Amino acid sequence: MSGENTFEVLEKIFVQKKKKDISEIAGYTIKYGNIVDDGQIIDEVLVSYFKAPRSYTKENMCEINSHGGIVIVKKILDLCIKNGANLAEPGEFTKRAFMNGRIDLSQAESVIDIINAKSDKEAKEGIKQLEGYLSNRIKSVKADLMDIITNIEVSIDYPEYETPQLSTKELTDKINEISLGLKRMEESFENGKIIKEGIKTVIIGKPNVGKSSLLNAILKEERAIVTEYEGTTRDTIEEFVNVKGVPLKLVDTAGIRNAENEVEKIGIEKSKKMARNADLIICIVDASRELDNEDIEILKLANSKKCILVLNKTDLKAKLNEKSKYINNFKNIIKISAIKSEGIEDLYNKIAELFNLNEISLDNEIIITNERHKNLIQMAIKNLNEANQTLKDGLPIDFVEISLKNSLVNLGSITGEEASEEIINEIFARFCLGK
Ligand code: GDP
């Protein structure tokens, strides 16, 4: 519970073993006792006390730790509500933390990211954002921008002052410098997107080359499968696996796995469709056979994008002519035995190399993982460019100032001081209940 009357509600349902008045209980204390309804003990619990402003929401808060299970937890919840508490909206705790100024908007958003993280790197990036890395960077960019604006304002309002005014060249340089820094942040979104959404990966190949065996080998090895959910169409399932800390989103795994009979097995048409919107194509051929026309059709599909050719069944006697031009077209070739789980690590290393995953170093760099942030940064850059164009065109300095101020507003929307109520509500609606 959070809010001014937290302890009053608590008092009505919690009987402490060693009774102390709330005025005597310090924040960050845990008390032992029973949750009681009409004299009847509901559960034996521990209650943590947080006193405003030193809590997650900056309000009075308590957390009741019961034995868990559904019935008891629901009973305690109902009891709180019966005694004056309201049920929290999704994200309401974090929203209060934001409204009360404990965290800014980008930090609140990082809470969702941390909860939903599908990989180490994503979680780590979320924590960094929660710690305020992004907020601080934005703040510092805003301060630089504010410096320029102040300088312009002084020159407009007090032209008689002998304040050192920036020349057009100095202004342009300063604006460019800010713009360049923002550009770098914007570019980091490419990696951010990978970290957040995963590399959309498809496994293609004609029937019986070992697609489902490879999928199983990957899933078996990476026990850290996070989600398996139905995609947009009914027969697609996407599965996430972690490769070197970054999620691969394996698309359409249902089609691969459930293809038990020959007719249903994934053929060329389906492969074409799958390959079309993938970030990574893993194309498999059976190395214990010669290439046939069907293989060749599929090999042709895979050449335009980031793709890896996997020669499977290396445990069998090799029959494949590796010098074939269709094979030689591929820059990235990995040999595996899906059945024996051999070569899977080589495949991972190749993937990591292709996507520069090893270079996504999270420790010293800010990575934009949120599309809303990226869009706002782009708008801020656009406004800076406009300011520079205005300068170049020799238009009055007031116009430059307008563009700079717009840029400032864009940046302010990232951290929330300039975000509209509508946007704020939309962001918190994405939370799960009670966070
Ligand atoms: P898919 O139709 O491409 O999904 O192919 P499957 O994964 O169902 O494999 C077809 C057949 O090839 C099955 O009988 C597998 O056991 C076999 N197979 C798959 N990978 C290997 C491998 O690495 N070595 C051997 N010897 N057999 C394999």
Side-chain angles (χ1 to χ4, degrees):
M1 285 188 285
S2 178
E4 211 184 328
N5 302 328
T6 295
F7 301 131
E8 282 155 39
V9 177
L10 183 66
E11 175 100 11
K12 292 187 203 159
I13 62 170
F14 178 48
V15 178
Q16 305 165 40
K17 275 275 147 71
K18 276 193 190 152
K19 175 130 179 77
K20 267 193 185 173
D21 189 74
I22 183 67
S23 60
E24 294 171 273
I25 301 173
Y28 302 125
T29 302
I30 296 177
K31 296 280 292 172
Y32 168 56
N34 290 321
I35 296 291
V36 175
D37 182 16
D38 266 343
Q40 192 197 340
I41 295 176
I42 305 294
D43 197 8
E44 176 193 40
V45 297
L46 292 172
V47 176
S48 338
Y49 288 76
F50 304 89
K51 288 190 162 179
R54 306 184 69 190
S55 75
Y56 184 66
T57 57
K58 278 189 133 184
E59 299 168 343
N60 284 335
M61 279 185 87
C62 74
E63 285 183 13
I64 303 171
N65 292 270
S66 77
H67 283 110
I70 290 172
V71 176
I72 294 294
V73 170
K74 195 173 174 308
K75 259 194 179 160
I76 297 175
L77 192 63
D78 288 344
L79 209 52
C80 291
I81 292 169
K82 202 169 88 187
N83 284 282
N86 294 319
L87 199 61
E89 301 278 326
E92 186 162 352
F93 286 88
T94 310
K95 188 174 185 178
R96 288 186 181 202
F98 164 65
M99 291 300 188
N100 293 329
R102 201 183 76 85
I103 52 175
D104 69 26
L105 197 55
S106 76
Q107 287 173 308
E109 286 173 294
S110 72
V111 175
I112 316 178
D113 290 346
I114 293 166
I115 295 169
N116 293 338
K118 294 176 290 296
S119 71
D120 291 351
K121 278 200 160 85
E122 190 184 353
K124 218 166 154 186
E125 195 54 34
I127 294 284
K128 253 175 65 186
Q129 198 171 308
L130 182 60
E131 293 275 296
Y133 275 70
L134 176 64
S135 318
N136 289 338
R137 178 71 71 87
I138 295 290
K139 253 186 230 151
S140 120
V141 178
K142 279 174 66 190
D144 291 345
L145 209 49
M146 211 47 221
D147 270 355
I148 304 179
I149 293 173
T150 314
N151 189 289
I152 292 177
E153 278 181 353
V154 169
S155 73
I156 294 172
D157 296 341
Y158 309 101
E160 71 279 12
Y161 273 24
E162 294 279 310
T163 46
Q165 277 176 29
L166 295 171
S167 68
T168 304
K169 166 140 192 355
E170 282 170 325
L171 267 177
T172 310
D173 287 350
K174 275 187 185 291
I175 293 171
N176 273 339
E177 200 184 309
I178 295 177
S179 176
L180 220 72
L182 288 175
K183 194 101 198 130
R184 264 200 302 276
M185 284 168 83
E186 185 206 341
E187 279 161 6
S188 74
F189 183 67
E190 205 179 313
N191 277 338
K193 204 166 138 106
I194 287 182
I195 290 175
K196 198 157 175 177
E197 291 173 17
I199 299 166
K200 210 168 178 191
T201 306
V202 297
I203 302 176
I204 61 172
K206 70 169 193 188
N208 288 325
V209 289
K211 295 182 293 297
S212 80
S213 305
L214 172 63
L215 181 69
N216 287 334
I218 294 175
L219 296 182
K220 195 168 69 193
E221 191 151 314
E222 299 303 307
R223 258 163 296 173
I225 311 165
V226 186
T227 40
E228 176 173 337
Y229 62 88
E230 285 189 12
T232 40
T233 56
R234 221 162 49 85
D235 63 350
T236 64
I237 288 187
E238 294 169 348
E239 278 170 280
F240 282 94
V241 293
N242 270 320
V243 168
K244 315 261 160 194
V246 172
L248 277 198
K249 181 157 88 178
L250 291 158
V251 184
D252 213 357
T253 53
I256 295 175
R257 282 219 276 197
N258 300 336
E260 266 149 23
N261 62 51
E262 227 33 54
V263 188
E264 277 177 27
K265 290 218 168 201
I266 290 184
I268 298 174
E269 282 314 310
K270 185 83 198 254
S271 294
K272 267 189 193 162
K273 231 192 246 167
M274 287 166 70
R276 213 171 290 146
N277 41 32
D279 300 323
L280 168 67
I281 298 173
I282 298 177
C283 188
I284 310 190
V285 294
D286 181 344
S288 70
R289 287 163 175 264
E290 301 274 6
L291 287 185
D292 65 14
N293 287 337
E294 214 176 338
D295 284 313
I296 291 171
E297 281 296 308
I298 287 177
L299 288 179
K300 282 185 191 161
L301 284 180
N303 259 323
S304 52
K305 292 205 180 159
K306 288 201 170 161
C307 53
I308 299 174
L309 174 59
V310 168
L311 309 182
N312 187 31
K313 310 197 188 180
T314 51
D315 55 300
L316 301 178
K317 192 167 176 309
K319 280 229 182 106
L320 183 76
N321 173 15
E322 287 180 33
K323 297 210 168 68
S324 147
K325 66 171 180 181
Y326 299 107
I327 304 272
N328 267 324
N329 266 341
F330 282 81
K331 280 199 284 294
N332 310 301
I333 301 176
I334 300 290
K335 294 184 180 177
I336 68 163
S337 166
I339 285 277
K340 299 197 158 171
S341 278
E342 281 167 11
I344 308 292
E345 187 64 26
D346 294 340
L347 179 62
Y348 289 167
N349 287 336
K350 186 48 92 182
I351 295 171
E353 182 192 316
L354 277 182
F355 287 86
N356 284 330
L357 299 189
N358 298 327
E359 281 169 31
I360 306 183
S361 128
L362 295 175
D363 297 330
N364 21 24
E365 227 185 303
I366 296 227
I367 295 180
I368 302 295
T369 53
N370 183 310
E371 184 134 17
R372 191 183 75 86
H373 300 167
K374 187 207 66 172
N375 291 340
L376 287 164
I377 288 172
Q378 274 174 340
M379 277 154 75
I381 295 172
K382 191 169 153 270
N383 280 314
L384 291 179
N385 290 344
E386 261 173 41
N388 262 344
Q389 189 58 44
T390 314
L391 271 173
K392 212 164 136 197
D393 293 345
L395 293 170
I397 195 85
D398 310 48
F399 293 155
V400 178
E401 195 193 354
I402 291 172
S403 298
L404 294 180
K405 279 192 168 162
N406 286 339
S407 185
L408 204 59
V409 169
N410 300 143
L411 297 175
S413 304
I414 295 177
T415 41
E417 60 267 41
E418 301 277 0
S420 71
E421 199 182 323
E422 197 183 334
I423 287 177
I424 290 169
N425 287 338
E426 198 182 297
I427 286 170
F428 286 102
R430 270 182 246 145
F431 273 76
C432 28
L433 223 56
K435 286 280 156 49

